[in-house]
Amino acid sequence: MKRTECIFPGSFDPVTLGHLDIICRAAGMFERVYAAILHNPEKNGCFPVPEREEMLKACCAGMRNVEVVTFPGMLWELAQRLNVHVILRGFRSGGEAEDEIAMARLNAKLLPGTETVFLPCEAELSCVSSSAVRQIASFHGNLHGLVPGIIEQKIREKFGY
Ligand code: PNS
């Protein structure tokens, strides 16, 4: 069981500065960070998984101990496959605690030995979420401060502005 590695799971639809804040801080604490795009093959997101992967990889290219993976299933199964039992989640606010703690307990039941650790995001990023980015993009709004410049460009291309 590797305790020096962690999985940072998410939908990353699309990656935001909030995700990157957590990934960057995790990369300074763990030997390896798996930034894992979890997806349900029966559900379509806004960005197809290969596009999400390409965007996340572009953002993580400078972090040598961060590996981007995609997985069409449940988190416990990915953790088992990678033999990584530390899951990292970011907190934007206390309001997220209930759901996050329930998910942590479920994952510990599904794969005993799994620990979930939480990092609070930087205060100025607490309003940033992928769903807010998608909504703003659908109205052709300004994404500065929410996503990196290279991602803003991709989003603008997709939403035609
Ligand atoms: O970026 P998000 O939407 O907050 O990420 C949520 C995600 C993908 C981490 C979560 O929905 C997840 O783990 N999905 C995979 C299914 C699973 O293992 N669920 C947890 C126990 S039911």
Side-chain angles (χ1 to χ4, degrees), residues 12-24 47 52 54-63 125 128-130 133 141-157 161:
F12 299 101
D13 188 23
V15 59
T16 68
L17 286 175
H19 293 128
L20 294 172
D21 164 46
I22 302 290
I23 292 173
C24 188
F47 288 88
R52 290 186 225 173
E54 189 191 319
M55 289 190 281
L56 187 53
K57 278 187 173 166
C59 293
C60 297
M63 292 181 265
L125 295 171
V128 179
S129 66
S130 295
V133 167
N142 182 4
L143 296 169
H144 182 74
L146 305 180
V147 297
I150 47 166
I151 302 302
E152 177 165 11
Q153 206 176 314
K154 292 245 175 238
I155 295 173
R156 281 175 176 268
E157 277 164 28
Y161 69 111

Side-chain angles (χ1 to χ4, degrees), residues 9-12 38 73-75 89 103 106-107 110:
S11 309
F12 299 101
L38 274 288
M74 296 194 73
L75 185 51
R89 292 285 287 170
M103 193 166 89
L106 271 174
N107 281 319
L110 291 162

Side-chain angles (χ1 to χ4, degrees), residues 52-73:
R52 290 186 225 173
E53 185 182 10
E54 189 191 319
M55 289 190 281
L56 187 53
K57 278 187 173 166
C59 293
C60 297
M63 292 181 265
R64 290 176 59 199
N65 59 339
V66 176
E67 192 174 322
V68 175
V69 295
T70 65
F71 192 69

Side-chain angles (χ1 to χ4, degrees), residues 38-138:
L38 274 288
H39 60 100
N40 180 342
E42 282 163 22
K43 284 189 189 158
N44 286 328
C46 173
F47 288 88
V49 173
E51 284 180 29
R52 290 186 225 173
E53 185 182 10
E54 189 191 319
M55 289 190 281
L56 187 53
K57 278 187 173 166
C59 293
C60 297
M63 292 181 265
R64 290 176 59 199
N65 59 339
V66 176
E67 192 174 322
V68 175
V69 295
T70 65
F71 192 69
M74 296 194 73
L75 185 51
W76 71 268
E77 200 186 344
L78 177 66
Q80 191 175 51
R81 283 191 192 192
L82 295 173
N83 194 28
V84 174
H85 291 241
V86 179
I87 292 165
L88 175 68
R89 292 285 287 170
F91 259 154
R92 277 182 298 242
S93 69
E96 292 179 338
E98 222 170 295
D99 287 351
E100 289 293 336
I101 290 169
M103 193 166 89
R105 289 183 176 140
L106 271 174
N107 281 319
K109 270 196 196 305
L110 291 162
L111 185 62
T114 304
E115 295 288 359
T116 300
V117 295
F118 298 102
L119 270 184
C121 76
E122 293 292 342
E124 67 269 23
L125 295 171
S126 61
C127 60
V128 179
S129 66
S130 295
S131 57
V133 167
R134 293 193 300 269
Q135 194 173 9
I136 293 164
S138 71

Side-chain angles (χ1 to χ4, degrees), residues 20-33:
L20 294 172
D21 164 46
I22 302 290
I23 292 173
C24 188
R25 287 157 60 199
M29 287 190 288
F30 292 90
E31 279 174 15
R32 177 168 295 271
V33 178

